[in-house]
């Protein structure tokens, strides 16, 4: 049986309760369970047991990160999670240091990951409209969603994980089309799982 760790990185704010991110997580769980996956869900408001989180990452065949993008990045609560859990994983649970050796300290940086048989997927929600990406005259100056998410991709790559294409919902606060987003998400999940 395939195993999926789903991380809901939403950080609660009075103007952003996390309903869409929770709905997308629920959709992941029901879809993956129907495909025969065993799933585990982690939220940022649950008490953090670092060893348990490391074990969940080692257990999973795929890690799915569901997150809003706040101020062009992941929420601070997930950054804290990364600082505590991922740093603790540097001793072999997630990677063997940074991949370099004393014999050749300039080579193999970022190649020490121990999760080489694990895939990951980013699923994100934006207040920004889709049109603000991939257009050199728009706000992101021609950059893509994955350009903006480069640090998140590099964190997972550091552990040796392989990416599944990113899913994005756009304009979710001012011009949301949740029905269309959920239909697109179902198609995305069917394509990759």
């Amino acid at each position: 049986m395939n195993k999926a760790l789903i991380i809901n990185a939403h950080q609660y704010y009075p103007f952003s309760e996390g309903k869409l991110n929770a709905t997308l997580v629920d959709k992941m769980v029901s879809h993956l369970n129907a495909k025969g996956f065993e799933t585990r869900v982690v939220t940022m408001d649950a008490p953090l047991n670092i060893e348990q989180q490391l074990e969940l990452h080692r257990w999973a065949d795929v890690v799915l990160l569901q997150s809003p993008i706040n101020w062009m990045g992941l929420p601070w609560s997930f950054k804290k999670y990364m600082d505590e859990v991922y740093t603790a994983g540097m001793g072999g649970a997630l990677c063997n240091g940074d991949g370099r050796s004393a014999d050749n300290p300039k080579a193999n940086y970022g190649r020490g990951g121990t999760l080489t048989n694990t895939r990951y997927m980013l699923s994100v929600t934006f207040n920004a409209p889709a049109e603000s990406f991939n257009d050199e005259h728009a706000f992101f100056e021609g950059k893509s969603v994955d350009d903006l998410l480069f640090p998140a991709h590099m964190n997972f790559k550091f552990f040796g994980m392989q990416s599944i294409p990113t899913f994005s919902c756009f304009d979710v606060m001012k011009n949301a089309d949740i029905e269309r987003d959920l239909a697109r998400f179902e198609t995305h999940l069917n394509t990759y799982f």
Side-chain angles (χ1 to χ4, degrees):
M1 174 179 285
N2 288 320
K3 301 173 291 290
L5 171 60
I6 302 167
I7 302 172
N8 183 347
H10 183 265
Q11 170 65 43
Y12 175 83
Y13 293 100
F15 62 87
S16 177
E17 297 177 14
K19 291 178 184 174
L20 177 57
N21 283 276
T23 299
L24 293 167
V25 166
D26 289 346
K27 185 78 126 167
M28 287 178 197
V29 170
S30 62
H31 180 88
L32 292 172
N33 286 345
K35 297 280 185 168
F37 280 75
E38 184 179 350
T39 56
R40 300 281 184 271
V41 177
V42 171
T43 62
M44 295 302 100
D45 57 0
L48 183 60
N49 178 316
I50 292 172
E51 286 305 315
Q52 181 184 52
Q53 295 305 309
L54 291 172
E55 183 54 38
L56 284 171
H57 279 75
R58 289 190 301 262
W59 166 84
D61 298 306
V62 63
V63 175
L64 298 101
L65 176 65
Q66 178 60 54
S67 182
I69 300 303
N70 297 342
W71 295 108
M72 314 313 152
L74 300 171
W76 69 267
S77 55
F78 183 68
K79 291 177 187 173
K80 180 180 185 290
Y81 177 97
M82 288 190 298
D83 283 346
E84 294 183 10
V85 175
Y86 294 170
T87 299
M90 294 281 294
L94 304 179
C95 60
N96 292 309
D98 66 13
R100 297 180 288 172
S101 69
D103 295 338
N104 193 353
K106 302 283 186 193
N108 296 317
Y109 178 80
R111 304 282 189 235
T114 59
L115 301 181
T116 56
N117 293 320
T118 306
R119 299 179 304 152
Y120 75 92
M121 185 183 89
L122 305 178
S123 175
V124 294
T125 59
F126 286 99
N127 180 44
E131 293 77 9
S132 61
F133 293 95
N134 303 309
D135 178 347
E136 64 183 30
H137 302 292
F139 178 77
F140 290 105
E141 301 176 352
K143 303 292 190 289
S144 71
V145 166
D146 286 311
D147 290 332
L148 183 64
L149 298 174
F150 184 75
H153 284 295
M154 291 300 98
N155 287 330
F156 289 114
K157 183 178 179 181
F158 196 82
F159 302 135
M161 300 166 79
Q162 289 82 47
S163 68
I164 296 168
T166 301
F167 179 80
S168 303
C169 296
F170 299 98
D171 216 356
V172 299
M173 295 183 79
K174 295 188 176 160
N175 194 28
D177 188 346
I178 304 303
E179 274 189 39
R180 185 176 63 84
D181 286 340
L182 292 176
R184 287 188 314 104
F185 193 47
E186 185 72 30
T187 300
H188 189 85
L189 292 173
N190 277 321
T191 300
Y192 298 106
F193 298 98

